[in-house]
Amino acid sequence: MKRKILLGMAGALMLLAAPAVAKPAMYPVATTRADFDATLTRQRDGSWVLDYRFRRKAPAWFFLRSFPKLDGASWRLDSWTVETPGVRLERQGNYDVLAAGKGMLQRVRIRIRPYGQSLKADYTPYLLFSDGGVAVYDAHYGLVPLKAAADAAALPSDLNDLKIENPRGTLAIANPGGTLLYKGMTTPDQARGDFEGAGAYAYSGPARPIETAAFAGILDPGLPAWIRTELNDFTPRLFALYRDRLGPNASGRPMALVAWGGADMPGQSYGGSVLEGTVVMRISGTKTADSSPAGLSKLRWFIGHESAHFWMGQTVSYERRADAWITEGTADVLAIRALQQLVPGYDARGELQREVDDCIKNNGPGLPLSGASARGDMRTNYACGATLLLAAEAAARKRDPNADAFTWIRGLIDANRADGKVDQADWLAAFAAASDPALTAKVREYLDKGVDDPAAFLAGLFEATGVAFTRKDGRLILS
């Protein structure tokens, strides 16, 4: 699951200039209903045109969602062209910024070449379908005003502690002469939204929504037949297992947007994310064109991981990026344990071993796990979150021989359904209930400060909770 940017309250703030080491000062929230209006219009040549009209005076505006491409570069700078004279798009620190050469920004036009590849820790801007269909993610167009463009360089990657508020603006997504599927509704020509709550994809294209017992949505007609069959056959069994073991999810029957990226590139690529009530997938690569045991296992795990986020990620979710290890590690382990039950011969031990190996390799001496997101080390969130959950599962089993990861996670979800949030303190409280306070204190230190010898720490954790393993050549080998 891609990480949410959770900023809490509605309204936009202007930021005063500040040195990189200081917290930027803030103006009071504006009283106007909207600080800006945006219109994103699909063009016949495949490009999109983005028009901003700013109602509030400011010389610069920064995009809250500014996570880069996988290579670290800005996707906007790579695919957007500002057509309004005197206005520039630039990167300042962690953020993309629109800035006026002089004066205040008033109206800005930008031409966009759709960027359809994955981002670091955020949703793919445009999901491109083989028949010409496009799904655009709306939350990428929200801005917040700045006193000066350079002020963005002083902002940290996680803005929650600054309590910067969500953009106060409106967004119209237009598909002239066509229709849009947006937030579960089909509308002609144009759909409207704002930047309150979770973002969503708006689909424009020739495909008609399909419905199955497990989901409804758009399946790319170019998808290989074996993938379409697996989505139709395996997904209902997976969701039935999750509902039975984890209880109801907050989304009910989800919508799915599944795009086919073609078989031109070598290997196999599965990209995905979960939004509120929607699972988004992009599948490509030569090894996905035809079914194979390895490809089938990869696809099932991918569906299992992304679907798990409807429970751990939406039914309950984190507020701080520092807690992303909880949801990502949980989704990994739930997918592994689900396939272990649903697929005869599935190598669960091998997948869990990979998690342990990657955790030790990636989260080295002195590195706090809670800092992985700020370091841009997303694999650590997955691997170490899964490794800690493996210990929690074993601790639960020592108290109840019939317990497993589903049992422990169900307890964590049920304890936090009321407020819909789960954080480090919630996770540690559940772990303490299954183990003991002294061991929990050691886990807290690993999360907050890091440890000198991660392998030794995990070995001690496994011994205390009952995870079966042996040590060989510095590795922890699961039994």
Side-chain angles (χ1 to χ4, degrees):
M1 171 189 167
K2 298 293 195 306
R3 291 354 146 241
K4 296 179 183 178
I5 299 177
L6 297 171
L7 299 168
M9 297 171 283
L13 303 172
M14 293 188 73
L15 308 179
L16 288 170
V21 295
K23 181 182 292 187
M26 301 177 185
Y27 281 117
V29 176
T31 58
T32 56
R33 184 181 60 83
D35 288 332
F36 66 89
D37 296 312
T39 302
L40 182 64
T41 306
R42 188 175 184 181
Q43 308 296 303
R44 291 184 177 181
D45 64 0
S47 67
W48 292 68
V49 169
L50 174 61
D51 288 299
Y52 282 111
R53 182 178 62 147
F54 294 101
R55 299 174 178 269
R56 189 174 180 188
K57 293 181 179 180
W61 297 68
F62 79 99
F63 292 90
L64 265 72
R65 305 190 81 113
S66 288
F67 291 100
K69 301 187 298 181
L70 297 181
D71 64 5
S74 166
W75 67 272
R76 290 189 180 91
L77 267 64
D78 185 57
S79 59
W80 289 20
T81 301
V82 178
E83 296 186 343
T84 303
V87 178
R88 64 186 184 276
L89 174 67
E90 60 190 34
R91 187 76 173 178
Q92 291 281 356
N94 297 305
Y95 297 94
D96 296 331
V97 180
L98 276 180
K102 59 181 180 179
M104 305 294 174
L105 287 179
Q106 296 180 354
R107 292 179 180 268
V108 177
R109 168 161 287 193
I110 301 166
R111 189 166 297 272
I112 299 173
R113 176 171 48 85
Y115 184 80
Q117 303 300 314
S118 297
L119 304 181
K120 281 188 176 181
D122 207 352
Y123 301 104
T124 302
Y126 290 82
L127 199 63
L128 307 178
F129 291 74
S130 62
D131 60 356
V134 180
V136 56
Y137 184 59
D138 60 4
H140 284 306
Y141 303 94
L143 308 98
V144 172
L146 290 167
K147 188 70 172 181
D151 289 352
L155 297 171
S157 59
D158 188 345
L159 295 171
N160 286 289
D161 290 339
L162 296 184
K163 302 188 185 308
I164 291 177
E165 301 174 4
N166 288 339
R168 289 171 55 93
T170 66
L171 175 67
I173 303 174
N175 181 31
T179 59
L180 287 160
L181 177 62
Y182 186 53
K183 296 184 178 180
M185 299 182 64
T186 300
T187 60
D189 293 325
Q190 189 177 101
R192 289 186 173 273
D194 54 31
F195 299 95
E196 298 292 337
Y201 278 93
Y203 170 82
S204 65
R208 292 186 176 181
I210 65 162
E211 295 193 26
T212 73
F215 61 86
I218 303 293
L219 296 187
D220 195 316
L223 283 167
W226 73 273
I227 294 178
R228 295 177 68 91
T229 298
E230 197 64 21
L231 288 169
N232 289 331
D233 294 348
F234 177 72
T235 309
R237 294 194 294 133
L238 176 74
F239 268 74
L241 173 62
Y242 282 165
R243 284 193 298 266
D244 179 58
R245 298 302 311 278
L246 299 174
N249 71 76
S251 303
R253 187 178 66 166
M255 178 178 172
L257 295 171
V258 187
W260 170 240
D264 297 331
M265 300 298 291
Q268 53 185 329
S269 174
Y270 296 91
S273 55
V274 169
L275 297 88
E276 185 175 350
T278 305
V279 59
V280 177
M281 303 180 186
R282 183 180 185 276
I283 302 171
S284 63
T286 55
K287 289 188 177 181
T288 60
D290 298 305
S291 178
S292 67
L296 191 59
S297 179
K298 179 74 172 178
L299 177 64
R300 286 169 170 168
W301 182 90
F302 175 64
I303 297 171
H305 175 98
E306 296 302 336
S307 300
H309 281 310
F310 285 111
W311 283 264
M312 182 56 74
Q314 290 199 2
T315 302
V316 294
S317 63
Y318 64 82
E319 289 188 290
R320 302 183 311 146
R321 290 180 61 219
D323 293 331
W325 61 271
I326 299 174
T327 55
E328 297 305 341
T330 295
D332 269 12
V333 173
L334 290 181
I336 292 168
R337 292 305 190 208
L339 267 64
Q340 189 176 12
Q341 294 188 36
L342 297 175
V343 181
Y346 176 74
D347 182 17
R349 192 202 65 80
E351 289 300 317
L352 291 171
Q353 183 67 58
R354 185 172 68 90
E355 305 279 16
V356 174
D357 290 343
D358 285 356
C359 179
I360 294 173
K361 178 179 68 175
N362 290 0
N363 204 58
L367 293 178
L369 176 54
S370 62
S373 293
R375 298 192 300 268
D377 187 0
M378 302 308 158
R379 176 57 190 154
T380 292
N381 282 326
Y382 292 72
C384 292
T387 300
L388 292 181
L389 180 52
L390 190 60
E393 176 188 47
R397 189 176 293 120
K398 287 180 71 173
R399 292 175 176 259
D400 176 4
N402 294 318
D404 58 11
F406 285 101
T407 310
W408 195 84
I409 290 299
R410 173 68 181 267
L412 184 63
I413 291 174
D414 286 348
N416 295 282
R417 282 183 188 273
D419 66 359
K421 304 298 180 185
V422 61
D423 59 18
Q424 177 177 307
D426 298 322
W427 196 99
L428 288 173
F431 183 79
S435 58
D436 64 73
L439 189 61
T440 304
K442 293 180 180 179
V443 176
R444 182 181 292 108
E445 181 178 7
Y446 176 72
L447 294 170
D448 293 340
K449 299 179 180 179
V451 295
D452 293 336
D453 188 340
F457 162 75
L458 291 176
L461 183 64
F462 285 176
E463 288 171 354
T465 55
V467 177
F469 76 101
T470 58
R471 298 195 69 165
K472 183 179 180 181
D473 300 327
R475 290 183 67 204
L476 308 185
I477 309 298
L478 299 178
S479 301

